[in-house]
Amino acid sequence: MRLGRDFGRRDFVKLAAGAGALPLLSSTTSAQLAPNPPSIRPPSPAERAAMARLAHSFMDKYGVPALSVAIGYAGTIVHEDAFGLADIERNEALTSRHLFRIASVSKPITSVTIFRLIEENRLKLTDRVFGPGALLGTDYGPPPYSAGIDEITLEHLLTHTAGGWSNDNRDPMFTHPRMDQAQLIAWTLANRPLDRPPGQRYAYSNFGYCVLGRVIEKLTGWAYAEQVRTDVLARCGVTDMAIADDRREQRQANEVVYYGQGENPYAMNVRRMDSHGGWIATPADIVRLLMHVGGFTRPANILRPRTIEVMTTAPSYSPDYAKGFAVNKFGNWWHNGSLPGTSTIAVRTHGGFCWAAFTNTRRRNSDMDGELDNLNWNMARQVGEWRVS
């Protein structure tokens, strides 16, 4: 059951148990890939029309008021389009500049920010998170903790292998909505023992990425969103992203309205989700970020090649999820997002393409997430010269 929580794409929600450790950053040089071909042309009018027909078919099937897409290659946004209505009641047409809640597509943003700090030698993947001498020390309560909590490392949080606090019907991020982040973390440490020792099993954890946001704040002295904007987004040419608010009347300028299908998109503490599911963005914003960490020679990456390799390498016991990105054997990386009123997908392909698509609704207990992913591939394939595979 979804129960209103962010879920990973179906390819990685069921992962094998095991134990192990991922390699730390080293001085080993990894090769960057040159875009091949060096550049591509935008779609022709006929090709855009074919893409639009696919988009409208998807929207009709799932009752989607608004769908926004962007495709990038070698540092350039080569295609953007927007379909439907940003606000049904006002009959406001969607544009490519409208902002959407991106839900768990926020997790790669948090991961990239962590790896920026690792490159500055301010963090290590093996750093412990809770307890005396750890990254967060005793900020959220002194020991003794439940078994294993003081053994959780930065790597465990990034890979969803901390041992508990998963996105089941007890997901801490969807409980105690009146608590702020500090209160919620303290309550969880005091009242929610781990399900198993850290490092033994993948269990997708929104709460773990909430904690990563607090690590960023503790280490830098900046609010999470400000650190991300300064150290990551600005370096990618992204300037208009923000953390969402909870209520319809609190929407940012140019933000869409969200529509539930049996759910209330405005009954969540979205702002508290900042580092695991709280950002609003355009698809082009996320495509620019992906292109700047994609490992290709164009555009210039904001992380070193070896860092990108570690960030996107999954452990053997959890082969479909690395650190903030789902991955597969073909060299594709992605993340999806799902909340009441929101379904999103962002992909970096092995062939050099990056794309993202956002909607302002979701349909529970359906294959909408998977079909949104497939829609992007099929739209890109309407341009035969792009050689999307």
Side-chain angles (χ1 to χ4, degrees), residues 6-10 12-13 102-111 158 160 167 202 204-206 209 275-277 286 290 320-327 332-338 343-348 355-358 369 372-373 376:
D6 287 356
F7 273 65
R9 185 177 150 183
R10 56 184 175 178
F12 65 88
V13 294
I102 64 173
S104 277
V105 173
S106 301
K107 289 182 174 69
I109 299 169
T110 297
S111 178
L158 286 164
H160 300 287
N167 62 335
Y202 172 100
Y204 189 82
S205 177
N206 292 312
Y209 271 72
S275 51
H276 80 78
I286 300 304
L290 291 177
D320 298 317
Y321 199 96
K323 304 174 188 70
F325 292 85
V327 297
N332 300 325
W333 319 332
W334 70 92
H335 216 294
N336 85 323
S338 182
S343 182
T344 59
I345 184 76
V347 179
R348 175 270 193 196
W355 55 62
F358 304 158
D369 290 350
L372 182 61
D373 180 20
N376 282 262

Side-chain angles (χ1 to χ4, degrees), residues 212-234:
L212 287 172
R214 314 300 61 88
V215 169
I216 291 168
E217 291 179 334
K218 178 71 177 287
L219 201 67
T220 65
W222 288 84
Y224 163 79
E226 290 306 311
Q227 179 65 23
V228 172
R229 287 192 193 98
T230 300
D231 199 37
V232 173
L233 299 180

Side-chain angles (χ1 to χ4, degrees), residues 207-384:
F207 181 78
Y209 271 72
C210 173
V211 173
L212 287 172
R214 314 300 61 88
V215 169
I216 291 168
E217 291 179 334
K218 178 71 177 287
L219 201 67
T220 65
W222 288 84
Y224 163 79
E226 290 306 311
Q227 179 65 23
V228 172
R229 287 192 193 98
T230 300
D231 199 37
V232 173
L233 299 180
R235 297 175 188 273
C236 302
V238 175
T239 59
D240 58 351
M241 286 178 56
I243 301 299
D245 273 305
D246 303 340
R247 304 289 178 254
R248 177 168 175 161
E249 62 273 14
Q250 295 173 316
R251 286 176 299 132
Q252 300 285 325
N254 228 31
E255 183 180 356
V256 299
V257 176
Y258 306 99
Y259 296 94
Q261 300 191 30
E263 306 173 288
N264 184 356
Y266 296 106
M268 301 174 290
N269 191 336
V270 183
R271 177 158 287 274
R272 193 175 69 180
M273 300 178 190
D274 60 357
S275 51
H276 80 78
W279 285 99
I280 56 173
T282 68
D285 290 333
I286 300 304
V287 168
R288 289 187 178 95
L289 171 68
L290 291 177
M291 289 193 292
H292 280 86
V293 298
F296 291 89
T297 54
R298 292 174 48 213
N301 284 226
I302 65 170
L303 295 172
R304 294 194 290 265
R306 174 59 180 162
T307 305
I308 294 171
E309 181 181 3
V310 172
M311 183 175 67
T312 58
T313 298
S316 60
Y317 61 91
S318 175
D320 298 317
Y321 199 96
K323 304 174 188 70
F325 292 85
V327 297
N328 65 19
K329 63 182 180 181
F330 303 109
N332 300 325
W333 319 332
W334 70 92
H335 216 294
N336 85 323
S338 182
L339 285 170
T342 305
S343 182
T344 59
I345 184 76
V347 179
R348 175 270 193 196
T349 76
H350 69 279
F353 287 93
C354 296
W355 55 62
F358 304 158
T359 73
N360 63 343
T361 193
R362 77 168 182 186
R363 181 172 295 176
R364 296 176 63 191
N365 304 316
S366 77
D367 196 29
M368 180 176 174
D369 290 350
E371 290 203 29
L372 182 61
D373 180 20
N374 292 334
L375 173 66
N376 282 262
W377 289 90
N378 291 333
M379 289 177 74
R381 287 175 179 140
Q382 299 308 301
V383 186

Side-chain angles (χ1 to χ4, degrees), residues 28-321:
T28 303
T29 300
S30 301
Q32 285 184 281
L33 301 170
N36 184 20
S39 61
I40 59 173
R41 65 169 177 83
S44 68
E47 290 161 344
R48 288 180 65 98
M51 291 175 165
R53 285 193 292 273
L54 292 172
H56 285 298
S57 177
F58 170 83
M59 294 171 71
D60 290 343
K61 181 174 182 178
Y62 288 105
V64 174
L67 167 68
S68 186
V69 299
I71 301 174
Y73 185 87
T76 300
I77 302 294
V78 294
H79 177 66
E80 285 184 282
D81 214 339
F83 309 94
L85 297 175
D87 184 332
I88 295 174
E89 290 75 21
R90 293 186 173 185
N91 198 35
E92 179 184 348
L94 185 73
T95 73
S96 295
R97 303 276 64 81
H98 274 97
L99 299 161
F100 289 73
R101 291 175 178 172
I102 64 173
S104 277
V105 173
S106 301
K107 289 182 174 69
I109 299 169
T110 297
S111 178
V112 169
T113 307
I114 289 287
F115 276 97
R116 286 278 306 169
L117 296 171
I118 290 175
E119 282 196 341
E120 296 172 359
N121 295 315
R122 301 171 74 180
L123 285 174
K124 300 189 299 295
L125 292 177
T126 53
D127 285 343
R128 292 184 307 107
V129 178
F130 298 112
L135 292 170
L136 295 178
T138 59
D139 292 358
Y140 300 97
Y145 305 114
S146 298
I149 288 178
D150 59 357
E151 300 171 13
I152 294 171
T153 67
L154 190 69
E155 183 175 8
H156 292 143
L157 296 181
L158 286 164
T159 57
H160 300 287
T161 59
W165 308 322
S166 63
N167 62 335
D168 56 18
N169 59 3
R170 299 187 304 149
D171 187 335
M173 297 309 303
F174 293 86
T175 64
H176 305 290
R178 291 184 175 83
M179 289 184 179
D180 62 22
Q181 291 159 337
Q183 292 169 329
L184 182 66
I185 295 171
W187 181 91
T188 302
L189 294 184
N191 295 280
R192 285 285 305 276
L194 297 180
D195 300 319
R196 60 193 62 84
Q200 291 190 355
R201 182 178 170 186
Y202 172 100
Y204 189 82
S205 177
N206 292 312
F207 181 78
Y209 271 72
C210 173
V211 173
L212 287 172
R214 314 300 61 88
V215 169
I216 291 168
E217 291 179 334
K218 178 71 177 287
L219 201 67
T220 65
W222 288 84
Y224 163 79
E226 290 306 311
Q227 179 65 23
V228 172
R229 287 192 193 98
T230 300
D231 199 37
V232 173
L233 299 180
R235 297 175 188 273
C236 302
V238 175
T239 59
D240 58 351
M241 286 178 56
I243 301 299
D245 273 305
D246 303 340
R247 304 289 178 254
R248 177 168 175 161
E249 62 273 14
Q250 295 173 316
R251 286 176 299 132
Q252 300 285 325
N254 228 31
E255 183 180 356
V256 299
V257 176
Y258 306 99
Y259 296 94
Q261 300 191 30
E263 306 173 288
N264 184 356
Y266 296 106
M268 301 174 290
N269 191 336
V270 183
R271 177 158 287 274
R272 193 175 69 180
M273 300 178 190
D274 60 357
S275 51
H276 80 78
W279 285 99
I280 56 173
T282 68
D285 290 333
I286 300 304
V287 168
R288 289 187 178 95
L289 171 68
L290 291 177
M291 289 193 292
H292 280 86
V293 298
F296 291 89
T297 54
R298 292 174 48 213
N301 284 226
I302 65 170
L303 295 172
R304 294 194 290 265
R306 174 59 180 162
T307 305
I308 294 171
E309 181 181 3
V310 172
M311 183 175 67
T312 58
T313 298
S316 60
Y317 61 91
S318 175
D320 298 317
Y321 199 96

